[in-house]
Amino acid sequence: MMSKGALVFVLLSALTAYYVYLPIPNNIEERWKLMLADSFFRSLSQLAELSEWMGLLHYMKVMMFITIAERVVPVSDERVQVSDENFDGVEVIVYQPTQRQETEELRRAIIYLHGGGWCLGSSRMGPYDLLAKHMVTELNAVIVSVEYRLAPAYHFPAQFEDVYRVLKYFLRVDVLRGYHINSERIAVSGDSAGGNLAAAAAQQKDPEQHVQLKVQALLYPVLQALDLNTPSYQQNQHMPILPRTLMVRFWSEYFTSDKSFLRAMMANRHNNHESAALLKFVNWSSYLPDSYRQTYNYSAPPVVTGKSSVHSIGLHHLLADPRASPLLVPDTALRLLPKTYVLTCEYDVLRDDGLMYVTRLRNAGVDVTHEHYPGGFHGALMFITWPTDFDIGHRMMDNFVSWLKKNL
């Protein structure tokens, strides 16, 4: 007969397995490791919701534990020199090769922007520190990792403004000379929300800016806020790491902490007359390849008229701002963009944002390399350090850096 202790153990084990298990596709590698990692994210999200409901802490304040848990102190080593700098009032971490010979050729440079839904994340997280050092050693490059301001303390356009200030400062001839950088071999790159900021920054054209970007590299980027019901949002709404509810919450918090706007975005009923005029740029029935449309039927997001939360809190202009949604720029602006690398993952709510941008860029004549991971999931590039290191994360990093080596 089973003892009470054994019975309790079995019951707890069963409950744990029930909580951890997710019906995720079989072609996702290391499925159980991903389930375990996601169970932590889900638990933290539920704790954050409870905390906010009780009036203790804002949801994002609790979720910031992810950033804190991964935080490291970037330090120099025998190959990489690390320094904290301030570029036009914005904190950055600069990674560069330790030694430089007088006869050495000028270096590449990459401005890198971390992900985290504009609310979380930091250049000082272990995976970003590892990625930056890897790029320095593999590319003989200078990496500028930007610590832009975060929501909810700062809403859009604060994040973009920080990034663009860094970009303009860094592209000054005297600054490039000081870091021994080749002005014709500079890139901007980022993952997720960082990919959004990289794309938006690359689209800005300042007539006084003589140094231009050679490439942009966007890793599973978020690129539009107008239609939050694309096929990938529907297909992957319950996928690990970035379910639809969390991504919509990131978008809402990027603009405002007003909960009425969050509810409108959750229902995909947040567009107004101003943003409605730009829905043609995110019409997935026009820009998604047939294989990604599957059985989904396109229905344009409803346009809210009259008095709504969007108008009451003054967001009607922000929704239509391409600095927040880079997919909203016309083709005439896209034609001016540099060579582009776009990484997408099949099991990611943001998959279709990247796919639509690839289509529109190619239609505009931009040289685009699109790397799609059929078994990929959002945030995989962050899973490259123990105890959550995934093979696919290392492959993504190696392929990304290999592309930079050939094209930058």
Side-chain angles (χ1 to χ4, degrees), residues 278-291:
L278 302 172
L279 284 172
K280 61 185 178 181
F281 293 130
V282 298
N283 183 338
W284 55 263
S285 68
S286 298
Y287 298 121
L288 281 188
D290 290 342
S291 59

Side-chain angles (χ1 to χ4, degrees), residues 238-292:
H238 301 302
M239 279 294 156
I241 310 305
L242 188 66
R244 180 181 183 274
T245 51
L246 181 56
M247 187 60 240
V248 173
R249 183 145 194 168
F250 281 143
W251 261 125
S252 175
E253 203 67 54
Y254 191 29
F255 292 128
T256 178
S257 293
D258 189 297
K259 293 297 185 288
S260 64
F261 187 61
L262 171 60
R263 291 190 292 271
M265 293 194 93
M266 285 290 184
N268 209 34
R269 299 181 61 85
H270 57 287
N271 282 284
N272 55 74
H273 69 281
E274 196 167 341
S275 63
L278 302 172
L279 284 172
K280 61 185 178 181
F281 293 130
V282 298
N283 183 338
W284 55 263
S285 68
S286 298
Y287 298 121
L288 281 188
D290 290 342
S291 59
Y292 294 100

Side-chain angles (χ1 to χ4, degrees), residues 91-332:
E91 183 182 349
V92 300
I93 304 173
V94 177
Y95 297 79
Q96 56 187 316
T98 299
Q99 297 181 339
R100 188 182 81 197
Q101 304 296 331
E102 290 300 322
T103 58
E104 182 184 26
E105 66 176 13
L106 295 176
R107 299 163 173 164
R108 302 175 172 100
I110 302 155
I111 299 169
Y112 194 86
L113 312 169
H114 69 78
W118 311 283
C119 301
L120 311 174
S122 169
S123 301
R124 291 185 168 83
M125 295 174 72
Y128 289 124
D129 181 62
L130 177 62
L131 174 62
K133 289 179 175 176
H134 184 66
M135 288 192 287
V136 170
T137 56
E138 290 297 312
L139 303 172
N140 188 37
V142 174
I143 312 301
V144 176
S145 202
V146 184
E147 284 287 89
Y148 54 85
R149 289 171 290 176
L150 300 175
Y154 301 95
H155 297 295
F156 174 83
Q159 293 80 348
F160 168 80
E161 289 173 343
D162 284 355
V163 167
Y164 193 47
R165 278 161 57 197
V166 167
L167 179 65
K168 290 196 295 183
Y169 177 89
F170 187 63
L171 293 184
R172 284 169 31 187
V173 174
D174 60 321
V175 175
L176 296 177
R177 187 183 300 116
Y179 287 103
H180 202 62
I181 291 168
N182 186 333
S183 62
E184 297 181 351
R185 304 182 77 182
I186 302 172
V188 64
S189 180
D191 61 293
S192 193
N196 167 283
L197 295 167
Q203 291 177 355
Q204 309 307 307
K205 297 302 174 185
D206 184 347
E208 297 182 1
Q209 186 69 62
H210 302 296
V211 178
Q212 302 298 319
L213 296 170
K214 183 176 183 181
V215 303
Q216 61 172 340
L218 315 176
L219 314 177
Y220 36 80
V222 49
L223 297 169
Q224 59 88 25
L226 270 57
D227 189 355
L228 305 180
N229 206 31
T230 63
S232 61
Y233 267 102
Q234 296 179 60
Q235 171 188 302
N236 302 308
Q237 62 180 314
H238 301 302
M239 279 294 156
I241 310 305
L242 188 66
R244 180 181 183 274
T245 51
L246 181 56
M247 187 60 240
V248 173
R249 183 145 194 168
F250 281 143
W251 261 125
S252 175
E253 203 67 54
Y254 191 29
F255 292 128
T256 178
S257 293
D258 189 297
K259 293 297 185 288
S260 64
F261 187 61
L262 171 60
R263 291 190 292 271
M265 293 194 93
M266 285 290 184
N268 209 34
R269 299 181 61 85
H270 57 287
N271 282 284
N272 55 74
H273 69 281
E274 196 167 341
S275 63
L278 302 172
L279 284 172
K280 61 185 178 181
F281 293 130
V282 298
N283 183 338
W284 55 263
S285 68
S286 298
Y287 298 121
L288 281 188
D290 290 342
S291 59
Y292 294 100
R293 297 181 208 169
Q294 300 179 24
T295 59
Y296 299 100
N297 296 315
Y298 180 73
S299 177
V303 178
V304 179
T305 57
K307 195 172 183 180
S308 70
S309 60
V310 176
H311 288 86
S312 65
I313 55 180
L315 294 174
H316 52 291
H317 296 304
L318 301 185
L319 274 175
D321 194 328
R323 296 176 303 167
S325 294
L327 257 172
L328 302 186
V329 298
D331 292 346
T332 51

